[in-house]
């Protein structure tokens, strides 16, 4: 009984946190390269709407996913253009993308509101892994492909970030762009790729909502998830694996807010991720300096050779 | 790349600043016109209808002013905080905090009717200030990024309001939608004539803009604030107290947003209700108001009116032009996008690579 509650909650938490994990992975890479992206919410909602329209028009949810990823990527590249090439304020650029994205998605999806998606992504059990006791029903049963992929991709990205040359370049560019530049690495290219990748991941996260989780389009359906994803990246101290753990924790709060509805106000559980993120920032600042916790040193700063 | 490079422009002229801002707005309106056309509305006729029903119509123009009140209050605050390099993205939460405090006073505090409105304004100011105090102290003490903390606090405020209207403050007679009981009548703000223009809030906004402009440009404190933003090193050397100056600035800024929240609940709805109905995104739009004002509190009077026009035209677009309700949000986004992309034109000038006076310096790297 107790175990069932635990596995059930974890399974729901994973389903809920899947879009958060996708978007947070992207944000982690963007921020590791030194660029803050407050446009996640906008990229997610644009991914959700273009994904839905493409899937509905073509009858193939995977084409929808592709469209969403590309949309996110293009918007991500625009953010990179503003932040890296124009050296505009990254925070304002991201905020603009979110405000614009929320409006534009409503405009694009106006005709599609309230129509269910005919061919959506269906949940399924993962063979073999779903038979593992406890972990199987908690993580590998009755989820959408994008949930399983989120787990796989996070491990992969963790490996890339910490154990490959590409990961080293990204981290160096985020920590000390001047050093990366001296070593012959292109700060501009690295940032463009990382932020573009972040957009792709946010687009996929949004598409999960409109193609799998709630296969339909509704205005503002991301409902602030982009901000939670942003919070998640910080709360996880810019590490992909910790982001999965923290994502499940955030998801568990949301799931519990339904289960405990009669005993505890759901709104107060929903605001916990935001409070936790502030606490994480405080602890990061109180800790042994930023370095020990992995906050990129050059986060939010434009780089130009020979100028400080 | 591109055969050009950036060179710092030390001090852009006011004319250039004005021209670039205007160009950004015009570019945003141009794209808006294209969006009109794509949806089957003749852009020229569309803009004409909007102007007719907003600026030229007394009822419409009062709505423009009404919607610019929260933008003015929050925007002036953001201008001030920006001067000290504090990015306050939290006006939305501070507006809600002010609304909650005012509602609490109106609903539960036994204040004599004559003192009710002043008490509500005071409570709203304090609550807003408190909502800004935390990020301010975290920034100056621990170096915690204020953009993220103020942003997160917006959502904390949003869910607290939802909790209140669904839980402890839920009105007795309420079915369906969640909101609090109606405030007693002496807690309503007076309005001008038959309009919904709650003038005490407008007056506070105007006075605040004037007062802060005076402080900023005519007092020693203002000099220190400007120094903090323009050359922190020199300010530190001159003995400016960063700690208290920042805290005080942010508290005043956030308190102003709190007053905007008071205006929305006491001047329009007379109750605490769904947070997205209290603030239609005023806190975020106030950032545009502040950026367009380029550091001048007086200029926010103009820029707040402009963004108020965008908000008010949203209703016109929906009702008269049958355009979707998302248009104002699209226009907001466009203005901000063009604004942020034009910003480098002010800070840098493009110099062809291989030319220009700084060639040798560039080569030395």
């Amino acid at each position: 009984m107790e175990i069932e509650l635990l596995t059930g909650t974890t399974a729901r938490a994973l389903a809920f946190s899947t879009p958060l994990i996708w978007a947070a992975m992207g944000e982690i890479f963007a921020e590791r390269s030194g660029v803050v992206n407050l446009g996640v919410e906008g990229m997610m909602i644009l991914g959700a709407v273009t994904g839905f329209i493409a899937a509905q028009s073509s009858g193939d949810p995977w084409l929808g996913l592709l469209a969403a990823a590309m949309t996110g990527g293009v918007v991500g590249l625009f953010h990179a253009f503003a932040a890296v090439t124009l050296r505009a304020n990254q925070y304002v650029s991201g905020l603009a993308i979110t405000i614009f994205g929320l409006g534009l998605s409503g405009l694009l999806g106006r005709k599609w509101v309230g129509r269910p998606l005919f061919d959506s992504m269906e949940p399924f059990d993962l063979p073999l892994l779903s038979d593992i006791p406890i972990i199987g029903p908690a993580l590998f049963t009755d989820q959408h492909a994008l949930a399983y992929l989120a787990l796989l991709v996070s491990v992969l990205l963790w490996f890339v970030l910490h154990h490959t040359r590409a990961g080293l370049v990204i981290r160096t560019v985020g920590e000390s762009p001047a050093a990366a530049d001296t070593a012959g690495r292109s700060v501009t290219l690295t940032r463009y790729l990382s932020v573009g990748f972040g957009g792709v991941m946010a687009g996929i996260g949004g598409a999960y909502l409109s193609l799998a989780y709630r296969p339909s389009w509704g205005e503002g359906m991301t409902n602030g998830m982009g901000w939670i994803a942003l919070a998640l990246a910080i709360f996880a101290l810019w590490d992909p694996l910790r982001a999965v753990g923290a994502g499940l924790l955030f998801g568990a709060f949301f799931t519990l807010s339904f289960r405990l509805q009669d005993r505890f106000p759901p709104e107060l559980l929903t605001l916990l991720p935001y409070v936790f993120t502030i606490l994480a920032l405080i602890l990061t600042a109180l800790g042994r300096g930023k370095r020990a916790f992995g906050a990129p040193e050059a986060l939010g700063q434009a780089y130009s050779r020979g100028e400080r | 790349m591109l055969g050009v490079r950036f060179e710092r422009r030390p001090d852009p002229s006011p004319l250039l600043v004005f021209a670039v801002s205007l160009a950004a707005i015009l570019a945003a309106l141009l794209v808006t016109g294209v969006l009109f056309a794509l949806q089957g509305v003749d852009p020229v006729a569309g803009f004409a209808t909007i102007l007719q029903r907003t600026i030229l119509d007394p009822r419409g123009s009062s709505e423009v002013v009404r919607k610019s009140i929260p933008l003015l209050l929050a925007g002036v605050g953001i201008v001030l905080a920006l001067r000290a390099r504090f990015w306050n993205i939290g006006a939305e939460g501070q507006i809600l905090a002010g609304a909650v405090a005012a509602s609490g006073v109106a609903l539960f505090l036994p204040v004599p009717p004559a003192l009710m409105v002043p008490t509500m304004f005071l409570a709203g100011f304090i609550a807003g200030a408190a909502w800004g105090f935390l990020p301010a102290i975290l920034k100056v003490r621990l170096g915690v990024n204020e953009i993220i903390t103020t942003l997160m606090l917006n959502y904390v405020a949003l869910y607290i309001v939802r909790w209140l209207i669904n839980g402890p403050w839920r009105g007795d007679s309420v079915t369906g939608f969640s909101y609090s009981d109606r405030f007693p009548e002496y807690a309503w703000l007076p309005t001008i004539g038959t309009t919904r223009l709650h003038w005490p809030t407008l007056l506070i906004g105007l006075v605040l803009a004037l007062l802060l402009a005076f402080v900023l440009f005519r007092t020693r404190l203002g000099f220190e604030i400007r120094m903090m933003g323009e050359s922190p090193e020199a300010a530190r050397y001159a003995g400016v107290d960063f700690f208290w100056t920042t805290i005080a600035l942010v508290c005043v800024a956030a308190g102003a947003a709190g007053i905007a929240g008071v205006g929305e609940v006491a001047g329009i709805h007379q109750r605490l209700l769904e947070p997205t109905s209290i603030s239609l995104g005023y806190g975020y739009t106030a950032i545009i108001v502040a950026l367009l004002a380029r550091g001048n509190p007086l200029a926010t009077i103009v820029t707040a009116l402009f963004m108020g026009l965008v908000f008010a035209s949203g209703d016109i677009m929906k009702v008269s032009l049958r355009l979707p309700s998302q248009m104002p949000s699209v226009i907001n986004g466009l203005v901000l996008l063009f604004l942020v992309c034009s910003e480098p034109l002010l800070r840098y000038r493009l110099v062809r690579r291989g030319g220009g006076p700084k060639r040798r310096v560039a080569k030395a790297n």
Side-chain angles (χ1 to χ4, degrees):
Chain A
M1 184 61 208
E2 295 281 301
I3 299 251
E4 253 170 56
L5 181 71
L6 181 73
T7 54
T9 306
T10 311
R12 287 274 174 82
L14 176 61
F16 176 78
S17 62
T18 296
L20 299 179
I21 294 174
W22 279 102
M25 288 301 144
E27 184 69 10
I28 287 171
F29 270 73
E31 293 200 2
R32 281 285 190 166
S33 80
V35 180
V36 175
N37 176 15
L38 297 193
V40 187
E41 174 83 2
M43 295 172 185
M44 281 182 87
I45 194 105
L46 284 172
V49 74
T50 50
F52 181 87
I53 294 173
Q56 192 75 300
S57 315
S58 68
D60 185 352
W62 293 96
L63 276 179
L65 184 70
L66 187 69
M70 280 169 54
T71 307
V74 168
V75 182
L77 288 178
F78 172 81
H79 182 59
F81 172 71
V84 180
T85 302
L86 295 181
R87 282 183 284 175
N89 185 303
Q90 299 175 6
Y91 296 96
V92 181
S93 163
L95 202 62
I97 287 171
T98 289
I99 294 176
F100 181 66
L102 285 173
L104 186 68
S105 64
L107 217 58
L108 290 173
R110 190 151 68 118
K111 282 188 300 191
W112 309 86
V113 175
R115 291 198 220 167
L117 183 64
F118 296 128
D119 306 284
S120 62
M121 293 182 181
E122 297 298 329
F124 59 90
D125 296 356
L126 216 56
L128 296 175
L129 288 172
S130 59
D131 296 332
I132 305 172
I134 302 174
I135 298 177
L139 295 180
F140 302 119
T141 305
D142 201 34
Q143 301 282 357
H144 291 94
L146 286 176
Y148 300 128
L149 272 174
L151 297 177
L152 182 72
V153 166
S154 343
V155 177
L156 205 69
L157 290 180
W158 171 82
F159 183 81
V160 168
L161 192 63
H162 293 291
H163 297 283
T164 66
R165 187 170 290 265
L168 182 68
V169 172
I170 292 171
R171 283 183 292 136
T172 312
V173 166
E175 291 294 336
S176 167
D181 196 10
T182 312
R185 300 294 175 186
S186 169
V187 175
T188 305
L189 183 69
T190 309
R191 288 188 169 171
Y192 261 85
L193 290 178
S194 303
V195 179
F197 175 72
V200 167
M201 299 294 272
I204 293 175
Y208 169 84
L209 292 171
S210 64
L211 301 178
Y213 190 68
R214 213 177 296 143
S216 60
W217 162 253
E219 198 192 329
M221 72 182 298
T222 48
N223 199 16
M225 280 210 166
W227 300 120
I228 304 188
L230 187 81
L232 187 56
I234 300 165
F235 187 65
L237 304 170
W238 300 273
D239 180 85
L241 282 188
R242 273 189 293 222
V244 174
L248 287 173
L249 182 72
F250 286 10
F253 282 129
F254 188 79
T255 309
L256 285 173
S257 73
F258 282 116
R259 291 191 183 234
L260 300 176
Q261 213 152 22
D262 43 347
R263 271 175 287 172
F264 200 80
E267 296 91 354
L268 295 187
L269 279 171
T270 318
L271 66 76
L272 284 179
Y274 302 107
V275 174
F276 279 163
T277 303
I278 296 174
L279 287 179
L281 282 170
I282 295 173
L283 289 177
T284 312
L286 283 175
R288 294 157 288 152
K290 278 187 173 179
R291 214 151 252 289
F293 281 91
E297 199 69 31
L299 191 59
Q301 294 162 10
Y303 172 72
S304 73
R305 192 175 290 182
E307 190 189 272
R308 274 299 293 171
Chain B
M1 219 178 67
L2 296 172
V4 290
R5 63 187 171 78
F6 292 103
E7 190 179 286
R8 256 186 206 288
R9 190 198 296 271
D11 219 358
S13 71
L15 188 69
L16 181 74
V17 171
F18 180 74
V20 166
S21 309
L22 198 66
I25 289 176
L26 288 178
L29 291 181
L30 197 71
V31 178
T32 307
V34 173
L35 287 175
F36 278 5
L38 286 176
Q39 301 186 68
V41 172
D42 176 18
V44 178
F47 281 120
T49 309
I50 289 170
L51 287 182
Q52 224 165 31
R53 306 258 164 111
T54 50
I55 295 176
L56 300 176
D57 173 78
R59 178 146 205 97
S61 53
S62 81
E63 280 297 286
V64 171
V65 178
R66 176 175 78 87
K67 287 192 163 138
S68 68
I69 297 173
L71 296 172
L72 173 62
L73 280 159
V76 164
I78 295 173
V79 162
L80 194 67
L82 264 181
R83 279 283 186 171
R85 294 203 175 167
F86 187 95
W87 281 86
N88 181 18
I89 313 288
E92 190 80 4
Q94 291 144 13
I95 289 173
L96 294 177
V100 165
S103 306
V105 169
L107 292 170
F108 306 110
L109 213 63
V111 184
L115 291 177
M116 183 47 107
V117 168
T119 313
M120 285 165 81
F121 274 123
L122 187 68
F125 180 84
I126 294 172
W131 221 245
F133 177 76
L134 183 73
I137 195 145
L138 285 178
K139 176 172 182 173
V140 287
R141 256 292 118 88
L142 298 171
V144 173
N145 184 316
E146 77 276 19
I147 294 173
I148 307 291
T149 48
T150 51
L151 194 60
M152 294 294 136
L153 283 174
N154 286 346
Y155 282 87
V156 175
L158 183 128
Y159 285 109
I160 287 179
V161 174
R162 285 215 176 127
W163 166 63
L164 286 172
I165 57 173
N166 282 306
W169 289 9
R170 189 183 165 90
D172 294 330
S173 57
V174 171
T175 50
F177 288 111
S178 302
Y179 38 76
S180 75
D181 281 326
R182 199 171 261 264
F183 300 166
E185 207 155 326
Y186 54 84
W188 300 7
L189 295 181
T191 52
I192 296 177
T194 53
T195 66
R196 298 198 284 170
L197 229 171
H198 41 101
W199 60 266
T201 330
L202 177 63
L203 193 67
I204 296 176
L206 291 172
V207 168
L208 199 70
L210 289 167
L211 197 70
L212 292 180
F214 177 79
V215 170
L216 198 58
F217 298 116
R218 291 277 182 274
T219 64
R220 187 186 156 76
L221 177 68
F223 176 71
E224 291 185 353
I225 294 167
R226 281 181 288 144
M227 207 153 130
M228 273 169 74
E230 277 152 30
S231 60
E233 288 309 312
R236 220 176 280 277
Y237 187 73
V240 173
D241 189 341
F242 271 65
F243 185 86
W244 286 113
T245 314
T246 307
I247 301 254
L249 271 180
V250 177
C251 285
V252 170
I259 287 180
V262 180
E264 295 308 296
V265 289
I268 298 162
H269 308 288
Q270 286 95 30
R271 52 164 50 110
L272 191 68
L273 67 170
E274 170 59 30
T276 50
S277 304
I278 298 173
S279 174
L280 318 168
Y282 292 131
Y284 296 108
T285 308
I287 300 166
I288 309 178
V289 168
L291 288 175
L292 274 174
R294 312 267 179 199
N296 188 337
L298 286 180
T300 51
I301 298 173
V302 179
T303 58
L305 276 172
F306 172 70
M307 295 315 292
L309 177 66
V310 172
F311 270 110
S313 66
D315 299 337
I316 315 289
M317 287 189 256
K318 202 162 60 179
V319 179
S320 306
L321 303 175
R322 306 267 168 104
L323 282 164
S325 56
Q326 298 88 2
M327 284 308 294
S329 168
V330 172
I331 300 175
N332 275 348
L334 285 171
V335 172
L336 201 51
L337 279 178
F338 281 108
L339 204 60
V340 71
C341 289
S342 66
E343 186 69 30
L345 289 175
L346 299 177
R347 282 183 292 128
Y348 303 95
R349 56 175 146 230
L350 286 176
V351 179
R352 197 171 296 153
R353 211 175 277 268
K358 283 202 172 171
R359 186 179 174 191
R360 257 171 299 138
V361 184
K363 257 194 165 176
N365 287 304

